[in-house]
Amino acid sequence: MAKGSAVVSRRNLFRGASVSAIGVCWGWGRISPAHAWTVDRVEPDENDIYAEAQNTNTNGPLRVLWVGSGAFQIRSGAARSGVYKNLFRAGNEVTAVDLLEPNPSDLRSAKRYAHEQGYGLRFRQGDATRLNFETGTFDVVVCSLFLCQDFDPEVVVCEIKRVLRPGGRFGFYEHVEDIDKVVVGKVFGEPSVVRIEAYPEKHNILAGVVRKVS
């Protein structure tokens, strides 16, 4: 956790409740923080989230699924593709999935850049609501600014959990305010939480890492 950051109940973070020594104070009662996962009140960093997701005990290269990889065409600036943000660890094998196939030239450039950074990159066209991979295929799944698309995010997160191996990690960086309700509350469960971060006063991003525990 960052120096000076506060840890608060996610139920408190987005609903303006106050935290007391005996629980989370609501207008109609109190809820113990022990019954809710927590959110670190720090501004999420996409590189840090992806690094934490790839921080597993697996020996050798990790099999990483990158869901909603996009077109690979923007190579600089804030809107650049994740390939050019150096999000992936050297030695890993990254499979990028998107509904739309990228321009062949952009894909070749992205693969070449990934190779220069020391990891493998391949692209598979596919639908995130029906991932065309066997159960337990990947060590890590990641996505950024993707779960707000025109689909039921719970369906996609269930597919993400399915294709993760037991103990595998899912890293997400999203601007859906309550996406942790889906990721943690509905799909992965509270024991899965490695870290959840948000600082809504500064940045409309909620990010985190969870692991497949069941």
Side-chain angles (χ1 to χ4, degrees), residues 45-56 62 64-69 81-83 85-89 92 94 140-146 169-174 195 197 207-209:
D45 182 276
E46 190 177 14
N47 287 81
D48 286 348
I49 291 296
Y50 277 53
E52 182 68 56
Q54 294 169 87
N55 182 22
T56 74
L62 297 176
V64 180
L65 179 63
W66 178 18
V67 181
S69 55
S81 165
V83 171
K85 294 179 182 179
N86 299 326
L87 296 174
F88 300 104
R89 199 173 74 186
N92 289 345
V94 178
V140 178
V141 181
V142 290
C143 69
S144 294
L145 309 181
F146 177 71
R169 293 187 170 198
F170 171 42
F172 58 95
Y173 181 87
E174 297 290 336
R195 64 197 272 195
E197 300 176 344
V209 178

Side-chain angles (χ1 to χ4, degrees), residues 86-149:
N86 299 326
L87 296 174
F88 300 104
R89 199 173 74 186
N92 289 345
E93 293 295 328
V94 178
T95 300
V97 171
D98 201 273
L99 192 61
L100 300 178
E101 192 167 359
N103 177 281
S105 176
D106 292 332
L107 179 56
R108 285 193 298 271
S109 295
K111 286 182 174 181
R112 183 165 55 250
Y113 183 87
H115 179 74
E116 291 170 356
Q117 304 307 307
Y119 67 90
L121 175 67
R122 65 184 183 122
F123 177 81
R124 286 274 297 272
Q125 188 173 16
D127 183 348
T129 65
R130 297 186 299 274
L131 290 170
N132 191 23
F133 301 100
E134 296 293 327
T135 298
T137 297
F138 295 97
D139 303 299
V140 178
V141 181
V142 290
C143 69
S144 294
L145 309 181
F146 177 71
L147 296 176
C148 59
Q149 304 296 321

Side-chain angles (χ1 to χ4, degrees), residues 9-32:
S9 165
R10 59 93 43 233
R11 298 175 188 170
N12 174 59
L13 183 61
F14 291 113
R15 287 167 177 76
S18 61
V19 178
S20 73
I22 57 176
V24 180
C25 302
W26 294 78
W28 57 88
R30 303 178 188 274
I31 299 175
S32 167

